[in-house]
Amino acid sequence: MYARGDAVIGVDGAFSAVRLSMQEKLQKFDYDESYLAHGYKELTIPPGPDGSWQMEKEALHIWPRKSFMMIALPNPDGSFTCTLFWEFEGPRSFKTTKTDEDVRRFFNEEFPDAVPLMPALLEDFKNNPTGSLVTIRCAPWYHKDKVALVGDAAHAVVPFYGQGMNAAFEDCVVLDECLAEFPDNRERAFAEYFARRKENADALADLAVENFIEMRDKTASRTFRAKKKLDHALEAALPGIYLPLYTMVTFTRIPYAEAAQRARRQDSIIYTGLTLISAIIVALLIHFIA
Ligand SMILES: Cc1cc2nc3c(=O)[nH]c(=O)nc-3n(C[C@H](O)[C@H](O)[C@H](O)COP(=O)(O)OP(=O)(O)OC[C@H]3O[C@@H](n4cnc5c(N)ncnc54)[C@H](O)[C@@H]3O)c2cc1C
């Protein structure tokens, strides 16, 4: 189908045809894609016999296994969508897990508590595709007053902060603001939109990859859990002053780049403070014992 318009807004996802045509036709177009060594497969925990959730529904469930993980998110119909994030290749990986027996053995070893809740595990594993996890960065996101990229077409990120769709909506808000600010100059509006969003999309891309490591590896560690508790205690003690990174990213409209910067500042203040307090306690103990 052919159609003519004043401008094209490319909202055609991570493998955008609009972006591809910019890549092919524009001389100065930066493009970078990087794939994780992990793929993902969706599996299901159906509702229980009474139609209700078979696990706590007010939670994101994580089975952290250091180099890989499974997560489960509740759906309104009583089911959970589980996603296994696992290496594509390696001694234990999607590639080497082929038969029903391989799948059964792997799940019994790694997720024995989940297996009884997944009656369709073998069919799901066989029938559901193994997806890849890509981060795409490109620049610029516009060409003259003719084309602008929005959402995954401009900045696909890996899904570990659960922010890809939100970032796409934020693009829409900012693009809308820019078009309203420069009603007679669409190229300027596109340029402003790109300038305001690019560093935030880049920051989100980094945060999303970091959160994968946090979810699959660190959530099992005591130190990490202690840090999370401290985060919540400080948030309660200093409302509006101390905001954990996750809170800023997920529950506020603080731009991603600013949230990441603020979290780094907060961390350095907290850790310097804790180190000082520990040093004072040790010095006092030595003083009184000596
Ligand atoms: C496993 C996984 C889990 C995720 N979980 C979350 C989450 O919890 N929270 C969150 O916010 N985000 C999540 N995301 C990311 C989220 O799905 C995307 O960021 C979001 O869908 C991007 O929206 P979009 O409109 O830019 O692109 P898309 O949703 O990909 O939409 C693009 C549309 O364009 C259409 N299209 C493509 N090419 C053409 C063409 N040539 N012609 C016409 N139409 C075309 C496609 O069919 C599609 O409908 C997840 C992603 C993955 C892979």
Side-chain angles (χ1 to χ4, degrees), residues 10-18 40 42 73 83 85 132-133 150-168:
V11 283
D12 49 347
F15 301 98
S16 165
V18 178
Y40 71 91
E42 288 191 348
L73 287 161
T83 312
F85 296 97
S132 55
L133 297 161
V150 167
D152 277 16
H155 49 72
V157 298
V158 292
F160 303 106
Y161 236 110
Q163 284 291 308
M165 193 187 301
N166 189 53

PDB file of all heavy atoms in Angstrom, residues 10-18 40 42 73 83 85 132-133 150-168, ligand 1:
ATOM      1  N   GLY A  10       7.953   7.034  12.571  1.00  0.00           N
ATOM      2  CA  GLY A  10       8.291   5.603  12.572  1.00  0.00           C
ATOM      3  C   GLY A  10       8.078   5.007  13.949  1.00  0.00           C
ATOM      4  O   GLY A  10       8.872   5.214  14.862  1.00  0.00           O
ATOM      5  N   VAL A  11       6.967   4.288  14.106  1.00  0.00           N
ATOM      6  CA  VAL A  11       6.678   3.618  15.390  1.00  0.00           C
ATOM      7  C   VAL A  11       6.576   2.120  15.127  1.00  0.00           C
ATOM      8  O   VAL A  11       5.691   1.446  15.636  1.00  0.00           O
ATOM      9  CB  VAL A  11       5.367   4.126  16.044  1.00  0.00           C
ATOM     10  CG1 VAL A  11       5.567   5.464  16.688  1.00  0.00           C
ATOM     11  CG2 VAL A  11       4.231   4.179  15.041  1.00  0.00           C
ATOM     12  N   ASP A  12       7.514   1.626  14.311  1.00  0.00           N
ATOM     13  CA  ASP A  12       7.392   0.240  13.863  1.00  0.00           C
ATOM     14  C   ASP A  12       8.375  -0.703  14.557  1.00  0.00           C
ATOM     15  O   ASP A  12       8.802  -1.708  13.988  1.00  0.00           O
ATOM     16  CB  ASP A  12       7.496   0.146  12.330  1.00  0.00           C
ATOM     17  CG  ASP A  12       8.686   0.909  11.765  1.00  0.00           C
ATOM     18  OD1 ASP A  12       9.281   1.709  12.513  1.00  0.00           O
ATOM     19  OD2 ASP A  12       9.023   0.699  10.589  1.00  0.00           O
ATOM     20  N   GLY A  13       8.714  -0.377  15.805  1.00  0.00           N
ATOM     21  CA  GLY A  13       9.369  -1.362  16.657  1.00  0.00           C
ATOM     22  C   GLY A  13      10.867  -1.532  16.433  1.00  0.00           C
ATOM     23  O   GLY A  13      11.496  -0.845  15.631  1.00  0.00           O
ATOM     24  N   ALA A  14      11.422  -2.500  17.198  1.00  0.00           N
ATOM     25  CA  ALA A  14      12.878  -2.679  17.251  1.00  0.00           C
ATOM     26  C   ALA A  14      13.491  -2.947  15.876  1.00  0.00           C
ATOM     27  O   ALA A  14      14.635  -2.574  15.629  1.00  0.00           O
ATOM     28  CB  ALA A  14      13.202  -3.828  18.200  1.00  0.00           C
ATOM     29  N   PHE A  15      12.748  -3.602  15.000  1.00  0.00           N
ATOM     30  CA  PHE A  15      13.330  -3.919  13.683  1.00  0.00           C
ATOM     31  C   PHE A  15      12.703  -3.021  12.611  1.00  0.00           C
ATOM     32  O   PHE A  15      12.366  -3.461  11.505  1.00  0.00           O
ATOM     33  CB  PHE A  15      13.190  -5.422  13.404  1.00  0.00           C
ATOM     34  CG  PHE A  15      13.887  -6.218  14.480  1.00  0.00           C
ATOM     35  CD1 PHE A  15      13.183  -6.760  15.540  1.00  0.00           C
ATOM     36  CD2 PHE A  15      15.272  -6.331  14.479  1.00  0.00           C
ATOM     37  CE1 PHE A  15      13.836  -7.434  16.571  1.00  0.00           C
ATOM     38  CE2 PHE A  15      15.943  -6.997  15.504  1.00  0.00           C
ATOM     39  CZ  PHE A  15      15.221  -7.554  16.552  1.00  0.00           C
ATOM     40  N   SER A  16      12.596  -1.749  12.955  1.00  0.00           N
ATOM     41  CA  SER A  16      11.901  -0.734  12.168  1.00  0.00           C
ATOM     42  C   SER A  16      12.348  -0.634  10.704  1.00  0.00           C
ATOM     43  O   SER A  16      13.542  -0.473  10.408  1.00  0.00           O
ATOM     44  CB  SER A  16      12.149   0.616  12.865  1.00  0.00           C
ATOM     45  OG  SER A  16      11.826   1.682  12.027  1.00  0.00           O
ATOM     46  N   ALA A  17      11.367  -0.683   9.817  1.00  0.00           N
ATOM     47  CA  ALA A  17      11.658  -0.491   8.389  1.00  0.00           C
ATOM     48  C   ALA A  17      11.957   0.983   8.111  1.00  0.00           C
ATOM     49  O   ALA A  17      12.754   1.312   7.228  1.00  0.00           O
ATOM     50  CB  ALA A  17      10.465  -0.957   7.554  1.00  0.00           C
ATOM     51  N   VAL A  18      11.315   1.882   8.880  1.00  0.00           N
ATOM     52  CA  VAL A  18      11.563   3.319   8.683  1.00  0.00           C
ATOM     53  C   VAL A  18      13.025   3.628   9.032  1.00  0.00           C
ATOM     54  O   VAL A  18      13.736   4.311   8.293  1.00  0.00           O
ATOM     55  CB  VAL A  18      10.605   4.164   9.561  1.00  0.00           C
ATOM     56  CG1 VAL A  18      10.896   5.648   9.403  1.00  0.00           C
ATOM     57  CG2 VAL A  18       9.153   3.867   9.211  1.00  0.00           C
ATOM     58  N   TYR A  40      15.127 -15.460  25.443  1.00  0.00           N
ATOM     59  CA  TYR A  40      14.043 -15.643  26.414  1.00  0.00           C
ATOM     60  C   TYR A  40      12.941 -16.512  25.831  1.00  0.00           C
ATOM     61  O   TYR A  40      12.757 -16.572  24.617  1.00  0.00           O
ATOM     62  CB  TYR A  40      13.472 -14.293  26.870  1.00  0.00           C
ATOM     63  CG  TYR A  40      12.654 -13.562  25.823  1.00  0.00           C
ATOM     64  CD1 TYR A  40      11.268 -13.753  25.724  1.00  0.00           C
ATOM     65  CD2 TYR A  40      13.264 -12.700  24.931  1.00  0.00           C
ATOM     66  CE1 TYR A  40      10.523 -13.087  24.771  1.00  0.00           C
ATOM     67  CE2 TYR A  40      12.524 -12.032  23.968  1.00  0.00           C
ATOM     68  CZ  TYR A  40      11.153 -12.229  23.893  1.00  0.00           C
ATOM     69  OH  TYR A  40      10.415 -11.578  22.934  1.00  0.00           O
ATOM     70  N   GLU A  42       8.799 -17.597  26.826  1.00  0.00           N
ATOM     71  CA  GLU A  42       7.655 -17.398  27.723  1.00  0.00           C
ATOM     72  C   GLU A  42       6.982 -18.734  28.018  1.00  0.00           C
ATOM     73  O   GLU A  42       6.805 -19.570  27.127  1.00  0.00           O
ATOM     74  CB  GLU A  42       6.667 -16.411  27.103  1.00  0.00           C
ATOM     75  CG  GLU A  42       7.224 -14.995  27.118  1.00  0.00           C
ATOM     76  CD  GLU A  42       6.221 -13.913  26.763  1.00  0.00           C
ATOM     77  OE1 GLU A  42       5.116 -14.249  26.265  1.00  0.00           O
ATOM     78  OE2 GLU A  42       6.553 -12.744  26.971  1.00  0.00           O
ATOM     79  N   LEU A  73       5.206 -12.985  36.230  1.00  0.00           N
ATOM     80  CA  LEU A  73       4.396 -11.785  36.468  1.00  0.00           C
ATOM     81  C   LEU A  73       2.920 -12.171  36.448  1.00  0.00           C
ATOM     82  O   LEU A  73       2.486 -12.921  35.559  1.00  0.00           O
ATOM     83  CB  LEU A  73       4.661 -10.748  35.368  1.00  0.00           C
ATOM     84  CG  LEU A  73       6.016 -10.046  35.443  1.00  0.00           C
ATOM     85  CD1 LEU A  73       6.376  -9.419  34.115  1.00  0.00           C
ATOM     86  CD2 LEU A  73       5.995  -8.980  36.526  1.00  0.00           C
ATOM     87  N   THR A  83       8.901 -16.005  32.346  1.00  0.00           N
ATOM     88  CA  THR A  83       9.879 -15.844  31.266  1.00  0.00           C
ATOM     89  C   THR A  83      11.212 -16.395  31.740  1.00  0.00           C
ATOM     90  O   THR A  83      11.711 -15.993  32.795  1.00  0.00           O
ATOM     91  CB  THR A  83      10.040 -14.357  30.863  1.00  0.00           C
ATOM     92  OG1 THR A  83       8.748 -13.782  30.695  1.00  0.00           O
ATOM     93  CG2 THR A  83      10.807 -14.229  29.562  1.00  0.00           C
ATOM     94  N   PHE A  85      15.024 -16.480  31.087  1.00  0.00           N
ATOM     95  CA  PHE A  85      16.118 -15.796  30.394  1.00  0.00           C
ATOM     96  C   PHE A  85      17.344 -16.678  30.553  1.00  0.00           C
ATOM     97  O   PHE A  85      17.822 -16.882  31.681  1.00  0.00           O
ATOM     98  CB  PHE A  85      16.367 -14.410  31.010  1.00  0.00           C
ATOM     99  CG  PHE A  85      15.195 -13.469  30.849  1.00  0.00           C
ATOM    100  CD1 PHE A  85      14.275 -13.308  31.863  1.00  0.00           C
ATOM    101  CD2 PHE A  85      15.018 -12.752  29.672  1.00  0.00           C
ATOM    102  CE1 PHE A  85      13.186 -12.447  31.727  1.00  0.00           C
ATOM    103  CE2 PHE A  85      13.931 -11.892  29.521  1.00  0.00           C
ATOM    104  CZ  PHE A  85      13.015 -11.740  30.551  1.00  0.00           C
ATOM    105  N   SER A 132      15.212 -13.060  21.043  1.00  0.00           N
ATOM    106  CA  SER A 132      16.523 -12.486  21.345  1.00  0.00           C
ATOM    107  C   SER A 132      16.336 -11.153  22.069  1.00  0.00           C
ATOM    108  O   SER A 132      15.254 -10.560  22.035  1.00  0.00           O
ATOM    109  CB  SER A 132      17.341 -12.313  20.069  1.00  0.00           C
ATOM    110  OG  SER A 132      16.611 -11.556  19.156  1.00  0.00           O
ATOM    111  N   LEU A 133      17.400 -10.699  22.734  1.00  0.00           N
ATOM    112  CA  LEU A 133      17.333  -9.488  23.565  1.00  0.00           C
ATOM    113  C   LEU A 133      18.326  -8.474  23.017  1.00  0.00           C
ATOM    114  O   LEU A 133      19.539  -8.668  23.111  1.00  0.00           O
ATOM    115  CB  LEU A 133      17.669  -9.856  25.013  1.00  0.00           C
ATOM    116  CG  LEU A 133      16.674 -10.838  25.640  1.00  0.00           C
ATOM    117  CD1 LEU A 133      17.264 -11.525  26.863  1.00  0.00           C
ATOM    118  CD2 LEU A 133      15.379 -10.123  26.012  1.00  0.00           C
ATOM    119  N   VAL A 150      10.074   6.944  16.950  1.00  0.00           N
ATOM    120  CA  VAL A 150       9.503   6.957  18.299  1.00  0.00           C
ATOM    121  C   VAL A 150       9.518   5.524  18.850  1.00  0.00           C
ATOM    122  O   VAL A 150       9.309   4.568  18.099  1.00  0.00           O
ATOM    123  CB  VAL A 150       8.044   7.498  18.246  1.00  0.00           C
ATOM    124  CG1 VAL A 150       7.305   7.237  19.552  1.00  0.00           C
ATOM    125  CG2 VAL A 150       8.031   8.993  17.927  1.00  0.00           C
ATOM    126  N   GLY A 151       9.761   5.388  20.145  1.00  0.00           N
ATOM    127  CA  GLY A 151       9.670   4.064  20.783  1.00  0.00           C
ATOM    128  C   GLY A 151      10.831   3.162  20.399  1.00  0.00           C
ATOM    129  O   GLY A 151      11.951   3.620  20.153  1.00  0.00           O
ATOM    130  N   ASP A 152      10.549   1.859  20.350  1.00  0.00           N
ATOM    131  CA  ASP A 152      11.607   0.884  20.075  1.00  0.00           C
ATOM    132  C   ASP A 152      12.313   1.153  18.748  1.00  0.00           C
ATOM    133  O   ASP A 152      13.476   0.785  18.583  1.00  0.00           O
ATOM    134  CB  ASP A 152      11.023  -0.541  20.039  1.00  0.00           C
ATOM    135  CG  ASP A 152      10.892  -1.145  21.435  1.00  0.00           C
ATOM    136  OD1 ASP A 152      10.952  -0.386  22.414  1.00  0.00           O
ATOM    137  OD2 ASP A 152      10.728  -2.381  21.532  1.00  0.00           O
ATOM    138  N   ALA A 153      11.642   1.763  17.809  1.00  0.00           N
ATOM    139  CA  ALA A 153      12.284   2.071  16.523  1.00  0.00           C
ATOM    140  C   ALA A 153      13.497   2.969  16.758  1.00  0.00           C
ATOM    141  O   ALA A 153      14.514   2.858  16.069  1.00  0.00           O
ATOM    142  CB  ALA A 153      11.290   2.759  15.588  1.00  0.00           C
ATOM    143  N   ALA A 154      13.412   3.848  17.761  1.00  0.00           N
ATOM    144  CA  ALA A 154      14.516   4.767  18.053  1.00  0.00           C
ATOM    145  C   ALA A 154      15.479   4.178  19.070  1.00  0.00           C
ATOM    146  O   ALA A 154      16.676   4.460  19.034  1.00  0.00           O
ATOM    147  CB  ALA A 154      13.959   6.093  18.578  1.00  0.00           C
ATOM    148  N   HIS A 155      14.962   3.358  19.993  1.00  0.00           N
ATOM    149  CA  HIS A 155      15.811   2.942  21.129  1.00  0.00           C
ATOM    150  C   HIS A 155      15.281   1.657  21.758  1.00  0.00           C
ATOM    151  O   HIS A 155      14.701   1.689  22.844  1.00  0.00           O
ATOM    152  CB  HIS A 155      15.847   4.047  22.193  1.00  0.00           C
ATOM    153  CG  HIS A 155      14.486   4.567  22.567  1.00  0.00           C
ATOM    154  ND1 HIS A 155      13.594   3.837  23.317  1.00  0.00           N
ATOM    155  CD2 HIS A 155      13.853   5.722  22.269  1.00  0.00           C
ATOM    156  CE1 HIS A 155      12.485   4.530  23.476  1.00  0.00           C
ATOM    157  NE2 HIS A 155      12.606   5.685  22.838  1.00  0.00           N
ATOM    158  N   ALA A 156      15.475   0.523  21.126  1.00  0.00           N
ATOM    159  CA  ALA A 156      15.039  -0.726  21.765  1.00  0.00           C
ATOM    160  C   ALA A 156      15.963  -1.021  22.942  1.00  0.00           C
ATOM    161  O   ALA A 156      17.178  -0.863  22.832  1.00  0.00           O
ATOM    162  CB  ALA A 156      15.086  -1.866  20.764  1.00  0.00           C
ATOM    163  N   VAL A 157      15.373  -1.408  24.072  1.00  0.00           N
ATOM    164  CA  VAL A 157      16.189  -1.754  25.249  1.00  0.00           C
ATOM    165  C   VAL A 157      15.810  -3.158  25.704  1.00  0.00           C
ATOM    166  O   VAL A 157      14.716  -3.633  25.402  1.00  0.00           O
ATOM    167  CB  VAL A 157      15.976  -0.745  26.413  1.00  0.00           C
ATOM    168  CG1 VAL A 157      16.401   0.650  25.999  1.00  0.00           C
ATOM    169  CG2 VAL A 157      14.529  -0.743  26.916  1.00  0.00           C
ATOM    170  N   VAL A 158      16.701  -3.798  26.450  1.00  0.00           N
ATOM    171  CA  VAL A 158      16.356  -5.118  26.991  1.00  0.00           C
ATOM    172  C   VAL A 158      15.303  -4.913  28.089  1.00  0.00           C
ATOM    173  O   VAL A 158      15.227  -3.833  28.678  1.00  0.00           O
ATOM    174  CB  VAL A 158      17.610  -5.873  27.495  1.00  0.00           C
ATOM    175  CG1 VAL A 158      18.499  -6.240  26.320  1.00  0.00           C
ATOM    176  CG2 VAL A 158      18.391  -5.071  28.524  1.00  0.00           C
ATOM    177  N   PRO A 159      14.466  -5.930  28.351  1.00  0.00           N
ATOM    178  CA  PRO A 159      13.234  -5.656  29.126  1.00  0.00           C
ATOM    179  C   PRO A 159      13.369  -5.661  30.642  1.00  0.00           C
ATOM    180  O   PRO A 159      12.359  -5.693  31.331  1.00  0.00           O
ATOM    181  CB  PRO A 159      12.312  -6.796  28.683  1.00  0.00           C
ATOM    182  CG  PRO A 159      13.217  -7.909  28.344  1.00  0.00           C
ATOM    183  CD  PRO A 159      14.470  -7.295  27.804  1.00  0.00           C
ATOM    184  N   PHE A 160      14.584  -5.578  31.198  1.00  0.00           N
ATOM    185  CA  PHE A 160      14.742  -5.864  32.628  1.00  0.00           C
ATOM    186  C   PHE A 160      14.358  -4.726  33.566  1.00  0.00           C
ATOM    187  O   PHE A 160      14.384  -4.900  34.777  1.00  0.00           O
ATOM    188  CB  PHE A 160      16.155  -6.373  32.905  1.00  0.00           C
ATOM    189  CG  PHE A 160      16.455  -7.579  32.070  1.00  0.00           C
ATOM    190  CD1 PHE A 160      17.295  -7.500  30.977  1.00  0.00           C
ATOM    191  CD2 PHE A 160      15.824  -8.775  32.336  1.00  0.00           C
ATOM    192  CE1 PHE A 160      17.528  -8.596  30.180  1.00  0.00           C
ATOM    193  CE2 PHE A 160      16.047  -9.888  31.543  1.00  0.00           C
ATOM    194  CZ  PHE A 160      16.900  -9.797  30.458  1.00  0.00           C
ATOM    195  N   TYR A 161      14.041  -3.566  33.048  1.00  0.00           N
ATOM    196  CA  TYR A 161      13.493  -2.529  33.924  1.00  0.00           C
ATOM    197  C   TYR A 161      11.989  -2.379  33.687  1.00  0.00           C
ATOM    198  O   TYR A 161      11.320  -1.551  34.312  1.00  0.00           O
ATOM    199  CB  TYR A 161      14.210  -1.182  33.732  1.00  0.00           C
ATOM    200  CG  TYR A 161      14.781  -0.644  35.030  1.00  0.00           C
ATOM    201  CD1 TYR A 161      16.141  -0.604  35.249  1.00  0.00           C
ATOM    202  CD2 TYR A 161      13.938  -0.212  36.053  1.00  0.00           C
ATOM    203  CE1 TYR A 161      16.667  -0.153  36.448  1.00  0.00           C
ATOM    204  CE2 TYR A 161      14.454   0.243  37.252  1.00  0.00           C
ATOM    205  CZ  TYR A 161      15.810   0.275  37.445  1.00  0.00           C
ATOM    206  OH  TYR A 161      16.316   0.718  38.633  1.00  0.00           O
ATOM    207  N   GLY A 162      11.450  -3.148  32.750  1.00  0.00           N
ATOM    208  CA  GLY A 162      10.012  -3.050  32.463  1.00  0.00           C
ATOM    209  C   GLY A 162       9.622  -1.650  32.024  1.00  0.00           C
ATOM    210  O   GLY A 162       8.537  -1.165  32.337  1.00  0.00           O
ATOM    211  N   GLN A 163      10.525  -0.972  31.269  1.00  0.00           N
ATOM    212  CA  GLN A 163      10.293   0.435  30.946  1.00  0.00           C
ATOM    213  C   GLN A 163      10.200   0.720  29.443  1.00  0.00           C
ATOM    214  O   GLN A 163      10.036   1.864  29.042  1.00  0.00           O
ATOM    215  CB  GLN A 163      11.437   1.289  31.525  1.00  0.00           C
ATOM    216  CG  GLN A 163      11.341   1.495  33.015  1.00  0.00           C
ATOM    217  CD  GLN A 163      10.174   2.380  33.400  1.00  0.00           C
ATOM    218  OE1 GLN A 163      10.024   3.469  32.871  1.00  0.00           O
ATOM    219  NE2 GLN A 163       9.337   1.913  34.294  1.00  0.00           N
ATOM    220  N   GLY A 164      10.357  -0.318  28.611  1.00  0.00           N
ATOM    221  CA  GLY A 164      10.401  -0.065  27.167  1.00  0.00           C
ATOM    222  C   GLY A 164       9.153   0.648  26.669  1.00  0.00           C
ATOM    223  O   GLY A 164       9.223   1.646  25.940  1.00  0.00           O
ATOM    224  N   MET A 165       8.003   0.155  27.091  1.00  0.00           N
ATOM    225  CA  MET A 165       6.748   0.748  26.623  1.00  0.00           C
ATOM    226  C   MET A 165       6.563   2.138  27.237  1.00  0.00           C
ATOM    227  O   MET A 165       6.133   3.080  26.569  1.00  0.00           O
ATOM    228  CB  MET A 165       5.587  -0.158  27.011  1.00  0.00           C
ATOM    229  CG  MET A 165       4.308   0.212  26.306  1.00  0.00           C
ATOM    230  SD  MET A 165       2.920  -0.711  26.908  1.00  0.00           S
ATOM    231  CE  MET A 165       3.426  -2.374  26.596  1.00  0.00           C
ATOM    232  N   ASN A 166       6.944   2.247  28.519  1.00  0.00           N
ATOM    233  CA  ASN A 166       6.835   3.540  29.183  1.00  0.00           C
ATOM    234  C   ASN A 166       7.709   4.582  28.481  1.00  0.00           C
ATOM    235  O   ASN A 166       7.287   5.727  28.266  1.00  0.00           O
ATOM    236  CB  ASN A 166       7.261   3.388  30.645  1.00  0.00           C
ATOM    237  CG  ASN A 166       6.972   4.628  31.436  1.00  0.00           C
ATOM    238  OD1 ASN A 166       5.851   5.109  31.422  1.00  0.00           O
ATOM    239  ND2 ASN A 166       7.975   5.173  32.076  1.00  0.00           N
ATOM    240  N   ALA A 167       8.920   4.151  28.100  1.00  0.00           N
ATOM    241  CA  ALA A 167       9.826   5.082  27.410  1.00  0.00           C
ATOM    242  C   ALA A 167       9.203   5.521  26.083  1.00  0.00           C
ATOM    243  O   ALA A 167       9.338   6.683  25.677  1.00  0.00           O
ATOM    244  CB  ALA A 167      11.182   4.422  27.175  1.00  0.00           C
ATOM    245  N   ALA A 168       8.511   4.595  25.425  1.00  0.00           N
ATOM    246  CA  ALA A 168       7.854   4.945  24.156  1.00  0.00           C
ATOM    247  C   ALA A 168       6.747   5.975  24.399  1.00  0.00           C
ATOM    248  O   ALA A 168       6.597   6.943  23.642  1.00  0.00           O
ATOM    249  CB  ALA A 168       7.293   3.687  23.499  1.00  0.00           C
TER     250      ALA A 168
HETATM  251  C1  LIG B   1      10.269 -10.156  26.677  1.00  0.00           C
HETATM  252  C2  LIG B   1       9.899  -8.695  26.716  1.00  0.00           C
HETATM  253  C3  LIG B   1       9.272  -8.198  27.854  1.00  0.00           C
HETATM  254  C4  LIG B   1       8.939  -6.849  27.938  1.00  0.00           C
HETATM  255  N1  LIG B   1       8.353  -6.384  29.079  1.00  0.00           N
HETATM  256  C5  LIG B   1       8.056  -5.082  29.186  1.00  0.00           C
HETATM  257  C6  LIG B   1       7.443  -4.573  30.365  1.00  0.00           C
HETATM  258  O1  LIG B   1       7.202  -5.292  31.327  1.00  0.00           O
HETATM  259  N2  LIG B   1       7.151  -3.236  30.411  1.00  0.00           N
HETATM  260  C7  LIG B   1       7.423  -2.396  29.372  1.00  0.00           C
HETATM  261  O2  LIG B   1       7.144  -1.188  29.468  1.00  0.00           O
HETATM  262  N3  LIG B   1       7.996  -2.855  28.243  1.00  0.00           N
HETATM  263  C8  LIG B   1       8.316  -4.167  28.118  1.00  0.00           C
HETATM  264  N4  LIG B   1       8.888  -4.633  26.970  1.00  0.00           N
HETATM  265  C9  LIG B   1       9.214  -3.679  25.901  1.00  0.00           C
HETATM  266  C10 LIG B   1       7.975  -3.265  25.123  1.00  0.00           C
HETATM  267  O3  LIG B   1       7.338  -4.409  24.597  1.00  0.00           O
HETATM  268  C11 LIG B   1       8.410  -2.339  23.985  1.00  0.00           C
HETATM  269  O4  LIG B   1       9.309  -1.368  24.449  1.00  0.00           O
HETATM  270  C12 LIG B   1       7.204  -1.629  23.400  1.00  0.00           C
HETATM  271  O5  LIG B   1       6.309  -2.587  22.868  1.00  0.00           O
HETATM  272  C13 LIG B   1       7.652  -0.661  22.303  1.00  0.00           C
HETATM  273  O6  LIG B   1       6.536  -0.147  21.661  1.00  0.00           O
HETATM  274  P1  LIG B   1       6.629   0.309  20.147  1.00  0.00           P
HETATM  275  O7  LIG B   1       5.267   0.792  19.806  1.00  0.00           O
HETATM  276  O8  LIG B   1       7.776   1.232  19.980  1.00  0.00           O
HETATM  277  O9  LIG B   1       6.994  -1.003  19.320  1.00  0.00           O
HETATM  278  P2  LIG B   1       6.149  -2.347  19.158  1.00  0.00           P
HETATM  279  O10 LIG B   1       5.309  -2.627  20.342  1.00  0.00           O
HETATM  280  O11 LIG B   1       7.127  -3.384  18.713  1.00  0.00           O
HETATM  281  O12 LIG B   1       5.138  -2.008  17.979  1.00  0.00           O
HETATM  282  C14 LIG B   1       5.567  -1.880  16.655  1.00  0.00           C
HETATM  283  C15 LIG B   1       4.381  -2.176  15.750  1.00  0.00           C
HETATM  284  O13 LIG B   1       4.754  -1.883  14.407  1.00  0.00           O
HETATM  285  C16 LIG B   1       4.312  -2.939  13.581  1.00  0.00           C
HETATM  286  N5  LIG B   1       5.193  -2.993  12.406  1.00  0.00           N
HETATM  287  C17 LIG B   1       6.481  -3.388  12.350  1.00  0.00           C
HETATM  288  N6  LIG B   1       6.960  -3.284  11.106  1.00  0.00           N
HETATM  289  C18 LIG B   1       5.950  -2.805  10.347  1.00  0.00           C
HETATM  290  C19 LIG B   1       5.830  -2.476   8.970  1.00  0.00           C
HETATM  291  N7  LIG B   1       6.856  -2.611   8.119  1.00  0.00           N
HETATM  292  N8  LIG B   1       4.649  -2.004   8.532  1.00  0.00           N
HETATM  293  C20 LIG B   1       3.601  -1.845   9.390  1.00  0.00           C
HETATM  294  N9  LIG B   1       3.661  -2.143  10.702  1.00  0.00           N
HETATM  295  C21 LIG B   1       4.824  -2.613  11.184  1.00  0.00           C
HETATM  296  C22 LIG B   1       4.399  -4.186  14.450  1.00  0.00           C
HETATM  297  O14 LIG B   1       3.544  -5.193  13.969  1.00  0.00           O
HETATM  298  C23 LIG B   1       3.944  -3.639  15.795  1.00  0.00           C
HETATM  299  O15 LIG B   1       2.560  -3.683  15.929  1.00  0.00           O
HETATM  300  C24 LIG B   1       9.226  -5.981  26.851  1.00  0.00           C
HETATM  301  C25 LIG B   1       9.847  -6.486  25.695  1.00  0.00           C
HETATM  302  C26 LIG B   1      10.191  -7.823  25.633  1.00  0.00           C
HETATM  303  C27 LIG B   1      10.877  -8.332  24.390  1.00  0.00           C
END
